[in-house]
Amino acid sequence: ATIALASAAAADTVRIGITQNNVGIDSYQTTYERAFIEAAEANPDVEVIVLDAGGDVARQISQMQDLIQQRVDAIIIWPTDGQALVPAVRNAHREGIPVVVTNSNIADAGMDFIAAFSGPNNIQQGIYSAEMMCDALGGEGQIVQITGMPGYTTAIERQKGFDDRLAELCPGVTQLDIQPGDWNRERAQRTMETFLTRFDQIDGVYAGDDNMGVGALNAAIAAGRAEGMVFIGATNFAVGYDAMARGEYWGSVYQSPVDDARAALQTALDVLAGEDVPKLNYFDTPKITQENMDQFDRPVF
Amino acid sequence: MSRLNDISVLRWLMRNPIWGFVLLIFVFFSLSADNFFDYRNFQNILVQTSTIGIIALGMTLVMINGNIDLSVGATLALAAAFAVDVQSWAAFATWGNWQILPAVCIALLVGILMGAINGFIVWKTGVDAFIVTLGAMLGIRGLVFVYTGESSFFATNFAYSDFSALSLGPLPVLAVIFLLCVMVVHWLLSRTVHGRNTYAVGGNREAAVNAGIRVGPHMILNFMIIGFLAALSGVLLSTQMGAATPNLGRDYELWVITAVVLGGTKLTGGKGDIIGTFGGVLAIGIMRNGMNLMQVPAFYVLVIIGAILIAVLFLDKRFNTSNDGGLRL
Amino acid sequence: MSSTQEAALRLQGIVKTFPGVRALDGVDFEVMPGEVHALLGENGAGKSTLMKVLAGMYQPDEGQIIIAGQPVRMTTPIEAKAQGVVLIHQELSLVPEMSAAENIYLGELPVKSFGRVDWKTLEERSNAILKRLKCSFRAEMTVARLSIANQQMVEIARALTVEARVVIFDEPTASLTDAEKVVLFDIINDLKARGVGIIYISHRMDEIFTLSDRITVLRDGAYRGTLITADTTEDDVTRLMIGRSLDLSRDEEPPSFGKTMLEVRNLTCPGLFEDVSFTVRTGEVVGFYGLVGAGRTEIAETLFGLRKAASGEILVDGEAVDIVSPRAAIAMGISLVPENRKEQGLVLQMNCRDNMTLPQIQDLTAGPFVSHGAELAIFDQYRDRLAIKTPSWRQSAGVLSGGNQQKIVIGKWLSMQPRVLIVDEPTRGIDVGSKSEIHQLLRELAAQGYAVIVISSEMPEVLRVSDRIVAMYHGRIMREFEIADVTEDTLVQAISGIKSEKTP
Amino acid sequence: MTRLKAGGPAIAKQGILVAFIVFMIVFSLMSDRFLSADNMMSVFRQSAIIGVMALGVTIVVIGGNLDLSVGSMLSFATVLVVDLHDKIGPELAIPVMVLATLCLGAVNGFLIGVLRLNSLIVTLGMLSVIQGLVLIYSGGQNVDIADQRGTWFAIFGRGAVFGIATPIIIFGALALLFHVIMSMTAFGRRVYAVGGNPTASVFSGIPRSQVVFTTYLISALCVAIAAIILGSRVMGSQNTVGQGYELQVLAAVILGGTSLLGGAGSILKTVLGVLMLAFIQNGLILMGQPYYTQWLVTWVVIIVAVWLDVAAKRGRLFSPIA
Ligand SMILES: Nc1ncnc2c1ncn2[C@@H]1O[C@H](COP(=O)(O)OP(=O)(O)OP(=O)(O)O)[C@@H](O)[C@H]1O
Ligand SMILES: Nc1ncnc2c1ncn2[C@@H]1O[C@H](COP(=O)(O)OP(=O)(O)OP(=O)(O)O)[C@@H](O)[C@H]1O
Ligand SMILES: [Mg+2]
Ligand SMILES: [Mg+2]
């Protein structure tokens, strides 16, 4: 890191490259990108290179190579896959370029090669959702779960946090089935419709994000079975917030892409400034429910 | 250089407009992207294109044959999963770094097997390869998820991911393997009887049957070759990642086909060559790399790549007028 | 042929059915070593099917194939080849993108180490064969760039690469010139002298009588009998084949020509044809005669809006017109029966009726819908008029025999009731019966007031149907003949580029 | 010529139908809810979006081309109609969106029909271009309809007529309409001809470019209709909502026995193909199978169904090729 620092000092401005997971797939990522660029523009000493991997691991690896090739001062990466990016991160480390991981973490094997992680704790979010679910159902009931795109880290971690915590905290709540909704509202709506046909009694639905949660809610309303059903999501989207305001949606986890982006940039700058940055910088993602929602701004995405 | 040579170079470029295009974007990015014209960047481009490039070689064979293979992305993911997972099998626990060897072999065999299955179905059922491999694209992806249990594997042995960082002389080992494959497949296609029969089967399948070529086994062989190459590509990709992920290789089939078609291979079969495919692959690789270096925003990259694809096709049509003998059809 | 001699190949009671069609119905057939055995029959009689059974491409439902006394089962062309049975296909069976040499040795390319192609041997051998066939092109040429006739020669060259016991020629002369025919006949006689059994399929009686030793006739898939050529006459054969004699005479009632319907002035398309001028009157048949490659098809294509002429004028019914597309041509009352029925004439997987009504489908409507009845009426009318053999209008055009396919295309354009009808090689691959019917039909059409152009490479055909003959050579009109003035000699001279004193 | 009766019972020729029936029987044996009226309705409703798109693509494929751009075109159309809904109201949003989508179809049609470029690559390129356009238009943000209860726009995706959900009615009506067009009108006949043999079609005076162009317009129109259903059903849209739909649509079309070579195929059988895919998804969830079994089952079903169809046409089970 010392080499990078020296050159940074010489150039006076720092160049930071970021490779994101899949901008455009949902508005969280888009808002993140915009917030990141805004934050960088606000700081005259920072020049950023913004790349998007389009969800493809291999493309992200080549973007890492391209960034190393350009000798940026630091790299921020939103890994498409926690495992698969370890060697790429290791390469950057070897070249003396500090890497900050943002939003979803790199696998344990890569922890030695990163300067820091900054982002939400997806496992913790799953745990929060499980706790809310348990609360809402009073410890008894049958629920279904709709997960994100199969095989991607965020989806896996949220599911893991939720499943483990629910089993531990609320043995009285049974999960009838788990099916993917691919982060897609229409897909989640279809999945929920089939659940409704299949199960006569559904007390609660946990969805990997609010987009899918609202899809499930739509299906239940259309089937006339939404009354009394508990919907809990994650990554509070504006649609989820509104549904909560209407009293149709129980709760979610509040996560601001703006905070996420700013935290990532700040962490990278701190690292470059040689400050002593802790390895894991989780920013807070509180529970948001119908009760406490007035303490939060309506999400901008 | 004599005038005559100038003309023949020009004519060659007319027949392979993709290389003209490669030249064009090469010059363009050299002038406009700061870090593009750099030896290390060229290495990067070769490594980055090797994944799609290796599969594209096999796709060229299959497409000249008059078939297509949409399942290569899934096969790649399955092979990568095996390559990473088999290393940790208890049976090879004491093998040290040698445990990589059986892992890679099994992964490649899995690829060959998938190809053989596709080929066999295409042969025996007579269902169009597009349909058979569209099914396989879903099915093999299903196998990947069954095998990986949805999550990623990683190689505990760093020697595996270090392999991709090795260099042979001036070139990274991945690039060397890619170039080697290019040469071997080029040789296979242009010099051997199997290669010539590949053109015959694609050019006029009925004639090939009538001439006594065993078309079925011949096609299976080509499907096995593409299965092998897809698996090889998966193995190499997994060495870059030191891991395998279940969603690896999604959409690759589309990029591979695009590269091959850009290289002048006809979807209807009977026509194409490896030199063109190599050009097509480089064109996509250089475009991706150059736009990254120029920081073109992601949304615009989509538009530009799509538009260029169509533009190249248009130019190809201009230069290579079809053989309808000038009829207004 | 002594009966003690073993047949090179014998077929017994072969039955082959396709859905809805019994294509072969217990056929017996044999060919002796050193014999040329001609196979005759109307279009769709089952000749090609029988040969495909022989070549291992179809499996017979019943019956036996006996080669040199041994019953054999041939399930693939490979096995047939191993038995020494070689089929030269009616429809060209070549790979267009590959060289002639590779096509000749397709499936049996000479090999060096590592499975490499032995190019040197391949080219030496194939050039030697082409030389034997007196072909002027090199074996390295890509087949797609050869003329149809030369492609046919490549197909024939294949038969000479193996030690054949039996060679089958399925209409080999359909697109050969006279000179090439002579070479072909030499080759056949050569094979014959070496004890190879030859099966020869053709609709041209003259060839059959020059070449063959015996003639077997098929009719509707059934065996009709075998005749010794030397003891028989054309009329006998025809009668066996179609059940009646043919009237090959020209009806001599004087034609009455009307106004000039089509006039072409100085039409030029560089490289294809130059400075072409002619007229066609109503009630008149103008024959275009020339060698393959003389540019006749291109003129027809230009008249039909498929090509753009560089200069010159076209007048239809006295009006100068610009024909920009086939649609425009059709609107002006021009019809073209194209040269290549499979590629240009038919949508093979479409049924017969739909193929026939295709150009006028827009007009056969009742309200927004196509009128089923109107379509069927047209189909029935022309099926009867042209004696098209098909089990039903629902049959795909692709599975009809070649001759019946051609009739569908003719029917399609006749049903348009055109003012100018252009037919390009109308009887290529058509049996003698239908051929004379088509000739008669063309005469009748003219009599009804159509202006007809017939492009043909067969002299008897142009002589029989035309009122006037335009002789072409290398894209130029050499001479025009009134039918009364023409002699075979002057015609041959004209199309060979020998200038006569009366060049127009 | 000896004429034979058409061989075998007519049903044996309908390979896809046989596959469909067998498949339905197997599934209903494995889940008792499968055949319930509720479930049937729900599957029909779910399949309407893919189904409407598949109708258009069937026509394109019969015309001898492919359309892989329908997925991102759906994203485009849905984002547009939902976004405009709140800005200019549904009565204007719908026609504006339909026009814009038709323009995209016209671009496809021009490149493929008039310039004669290869349809696979052109529509692949357009897939990318259109996805980029959507993202640029929306800035990558999700769009939502603010007043979801009050808008009459809801009838397309959520309404019902005589107890039958509107998506089903739209899908059914379009299927019938297109079936009639393809089997009974001159235009339909021309599409079959152009797909079957473009050269012969031109020789028959058919305006080949115009016909192909129109097939792409129809396909775009279908996408626009699907987008209305989708937008109304979800009351919002993501930028990538149609991602991957192109292959599902193509799978349905193929499953319906439409030949990728062009010139053959049937609208009604495409409906069977669409339903079969929807029932696979639905049935396996009903049985509590993990989602990836869906892909494995689809693999087998696609191949077996198309195989049956091909075999029925060819009159023998295995291909005769050596
Ligand atoms: N694959 C097939 N499927 C269905 N019917 C077929 C098939 N092949 C041939 N037929 C039918 O079998 C009959 C015999 O056809 P074949 O091609 O053998 O006739 P041919 O004697 O060679 O005629 P031509 O002189 O016109 O070439 C025809 O009625 C034809 O329609
Ligand atoms: N394979 C070829 N390559 C290049 N030029 C060709 C080829 N075949 C024909 N030509 C040229 O095209 C012109 C017309 O050819 P074409 O065979 O169509 O004439 P045609 O009079 O219609 O003959 P036919 O109808 O008997 O086949 C001639 O000048 C000929 O030299
Ligand atoms: Mg025949
Ligand atoms: Mg001609």
Side-chain angles (χ1 to χ4, degrees), chain C residues 296-297 339 424-425:
Chain C
R296 298 159 296 165
T297 297
E339 173 172 43
D424 195 353
E425 306 285 3

Side-chain angles (χ1 to χ4, degrees), chain C residues 226-454:
Chain C
T226 303
L227 307 165
I228 310 264
T229 312
D231 307 342
T232 191
T233 63
E234 279 196 27
D235 200 45
D236 292 340
V237 178
T238 316
R239 204 139 1 100
L240 198 57
M241 216 172 109
I242 59 177
R244 62 184 161 85
S245 298
L246 280 182
D247 168 25
L248 289 172
S249 64
R250 243 185 102 112
D251 36 331
E252 285 309 332
E253 57 183 279
S256 58
F257 303 138
K259 59 181 170 178
T260 300
M261 187 45 89
L262 178 74
E263 181 170 1
V264 172
R265 289 185 194 150
N266 309 97
L267 204 62
T268 296
C269 206
L272 299 175
F273 53 85
E274 310 258 345
D275 199 18
V276 167
S277 307
F278 62 91
T279 59
V280 188
R281 285 166 290 179
T282 59
E284 183 181 36
V285 179
V286 176
F288 273 69
Y289 185 59
L291 296 175
V292 172
R296 298 159 296 165
T297 297
E298 284 71 10
I299 295 175
E301 284 164 351
T302 310
L303 291 176
F304 198 57
L306 285 157
R307 275 179 202 281
K308 196 168 161 48
S311 62
E313 263 187 305
I314 301 170
L315 290 85
V316 176
D317 204 2
E319 253 178 81
V321 290
D322 185 17
I323 307 175
V324 294
S325 69
R327 238 156 102 72
I330 290 169
M332 288 166 208
I334 302 173
S335 279
L336 169 68
V337 175
E339 173 172 43
N340 184 336
R341 58 178 169 258
K342 284 210 164 161
E343 276 170 29
Q344 303 166 336
L346 293 169
V347 182
L348 292 175
Q349 68 261 55
M350 199 172 241
N351 66 44
C352 296
R353 180 200 70 183
D354 293 1
N355 262 299
M356 202 180 270
T357 53
L358 202 53
Q360 51 181 325
I361 190 71
Q362 200 87 337
D363 304 323
L364 294 179
T365 46
F369 303 124
V370 174
S371 158
H372 185 74
E375 275 193 288
L376 262 189
I378 289 179
F379 176 76
D380 287 342
Q381 183 188 346
Y382 288 90
R383 182 197 55 203
D384 296 344
R385 187 158 174 193
L386 300 171
I388 298 170
K389 275 190 190 139
T390 163
S392 121
W393 62 263
R394 289 191 184 80
Q395 187 76 301
S396 314
V399 299
L400 292 187
S401 76
N404 280 308
Q405 290 182 347
Q406 181 72 16
K407 290 185 191 172
I408 299 264
V409 183
I410 295 179
K412 159 163 125 179
W413 290 109
L414 280 191
S415 67
M416 295 301 292
Q417 319 267 348
R419 296 194 286 180
V420 180
L421 175 67
I422 310 171
V423 289
D424 195 353
E425 306 285 3
T427 60
R428 184 174 281 175
I430 284 201
D431 69 53
V432 283
S434 318
K435 197 179 218 171
S436 80
E437 283 163 28
I438 288 174
H439 292 166
Q440 218 144 25
L441 187 79
L442 291 172
R443 298 292 322 158
E444 272 170 40
L445 290 170
Q448 286 165 23
Y450 289 71
V452 182
I453 296 176
V454 177

Side-chain angles (χ1 to χ4, degrees), chain B residues 13 22 53 106 146 186 196 206 219 229 303:
Chain B
L13 280 181
V22 169
I106 289 178
V146 172
H186 177 66
R196 299 315 295 171
E206 204 161 320
M219 292 193 312
L229 290 170
V303 178

Side-chain angles (χ1 to χ4, degrees), chain A residues 9-69:
Chain A
D12 219 0
T13 63
V14 290
R15 283 168 72 227
I16 298 176
I18 178 168
T19 156
Q20 294 172 103
N21 180 350
N22 196 355
V23 181
I25 184 90
D26 60 44
S27 35
Y28 184 91
Q29 301 204 30
T30 321
T31 313
Y32 177 107
E33 182 183 70
R34 191 172 305 156
F36 185 88
I37 293 172
E38 268 165 24
E41 272 167 3
N43 186 337
D45 297 336
V46 178
E47 185 194 324
V48 286
I49 297 167
V50 182
L51 301 175
D52 169 36
D56 179 4
V57 184
R59 202 184 304 170
Q60 191 158 43
I61 292 175
S62 27
Q63 290 180 341
M64 286 291 286
Q65 283 167 354
D66 293 344
L67 287 175
I68 296 171
Q69 162 73 13

Side-chain angles (χ1 to χ4, degrees), chain D residues 20-36 39-40 279 282-284 286-287:
Chain D
F20 184 73
I21 292 168
V22 170
F23 168 85
M24 291 300 280
I25 293 172
V26 171
F27 266 49
S28 50
L29 289 179
M30 291 169 77
S31 163
D32 49 351
R33 305 213 169 197
F34 186 66
L35 278 183
S36 69
N39 193 46
M40 288 289 131
F279 277 123
N282 166 271
L284 290 171
L286 285 186
M287 286 180 224

